[in-house]
Amino acid sequence: MGYSYSSMVNGLKTFYGSMRQLNVEIGTFEHKYNNVISDTIFDTRDSGGWKLTFIKRASGSVLCVSIQKGYRFSINGNTEYNDFINYFGIGNGKGQFSIKEFVNNLDEQVPNEYILSDEKRRAIINYNKLDNESDGIYPIGIKNWEVIHAKNPKLPKDKFHRSPKNLLKTKELYPDIYNATKDMDITIMYGTDSGENTEKIKTGKLDYNS
């Protein structure tokens, strides 16, 4: 019979509640274990199953672990267990490792509150670009397609609009901008470096109707 383990991570419940207050479905936090430092992504977009993805900072190696209903950290099968111990460099001999201790350690490192920062935005983009148009995290400009179409009536009405991916990226990286523009046909343009309008866009001081 293959390896099987499941245990609740209480901290994820609180962390998820904080994510929902921001109206985001992807959260991230730093995790340290056995000298392995990871950007840990809590992805709750798939109603069929959530997951924790550990991305090793030193090498970019990735480990995905299922989070089952009830915020349960779950490893099923010998392959998943071997991937887990190899990622963290864990000895699997008798008395060398307790997965219960690992989960308790993980639980202690999950933040009570999710606060977005540029570092966290980079971790999310490293995990999932969200929008293939740009891997930048800084809002540097906007395209108001309603205004553009009004000024250029010859543009096809079925083209040149905000893409669902661009809206998703804004929702996960900048919830405040998302809330301000979600009902408008506006594309947020992203760059790898800050632009002259970045702070205005972040703080809502740029006129989205222009």
Side-chain angles (χ1 to χ4, degrees):
M1 188 174 180
Y3 183 89
S4 181
Y5 180 85
S6 179
S7 179
M8 182 177 182
V9 182
N10 291 287
L12 287 178
K13 182 176 183 180
T14 303
F15 187 64
Y16 178 67
S18 180
M19 287 167 55
R20 296 310 298 151
Q21 286 183 0
L22 293 176
N23 194 30
V24 301
E25 296 176 292
I26 305 172
T28 181
F29 57 92
E30 182 181 85
H31 175 261
K32 299 178 181 178
Y33 188 82
N34 201 30
N35 296 318
V36 175
I37 302 175
S38 304
D39 289 311
T40 305
I41 310 293
F42 186 30
D43 189 346
T44 68
R45 289 176 296 171
D46 187 352
S47 59
W50 295 351
K51 60 184 176 181
L52 274 183
T53 299
F54 298 86
I55 304 175
K56 196 177 297 186
R57 286 193 181 168
S59 65
S61 299
V62 174
L63 172 73
C64 291
V65 178
S66 297
I67 301 298
Q68 296 180 346
K69 187 174 181 180
Y71 305 93
R72 302 188 71 84
F73 180 98
S74 302
I75 295 178
N76 294 294
N78 294 334
T79 298
E80 289 187 10
Y81 181 70
N82 288 332
D83 289 344
F84 169 77
I85 62 173
N86 288 334
Y87 179 90
F88 287 106
I90 296 166
N92 60 353
K94 185 176 181 181
Q96 288 185 284
F97 170 67
S98 164
I99 194 166
K100 182 179 180 181
E101 183 272 332
F102 173 88
V103 173
N104 288 341
N105 179 276
L106 169 65
D107 200 1
E108 292 173 356
Q109 295 188 56
V110 180
N112 290 325
E113 183 180 6
Y114 182 41
I115 299 174
L116 268 165
S117 65
D118 287 346
E119 182 180 351
K120 290 183 172 64
R121 292 181 180 105
R122 288 190 191 95
I124 290 171
I125 293 300
N126 188 35
Y127 162 71
N128 184 328
K129 288 182 67 173
L130 298 174
D131 181 3
N132 293 330
E133 293 297 316
S134 170
D135 59 0
I137 64 165
Y138 298 102
I140 57 174
I142 67 169
K143 288 183 179 179
N144 187 321
W145 293 108
E146 185 176 352
V147 173
I148 291 171
H149 279 279
K151 291 181 178 179
N152 301 273
K154 292 185 179 180
L155 285 177
K157 296 297 183 182
D158 61 338
K159 297 181 180 180
F160 304 104
H161 296 280
R162 177 186 62 197
S163 70
K165 287 186 175 182
N166 184 263
L167 184 61
L168 172 63
K169 181 172 182 175
T170 302
K171 177 179 180 292
E172 298 301 333
L173 300 189
Y174 294 97
D176 290 341
I177 298 175
Y178 167 80
N179 287 328
T181 63
K182 63 182 179 180
D183 296 323
M184 305 169 72
D185 193 5
I186 284 179
T187 293
I188 304 297
M189 301 164 62
Y190 289 97
T192 54
D193 297 299
S194 295
E196 60 179 322
N197 288 321
T198 294
E199 290 306 314
K200 289 182 180 179
I201 298 172
K202 281 184 176 181
T203 57
K205 294 180 180 178
L206 192 71
D207 184 4
Y208 294 121
N209 293 299
S210 61

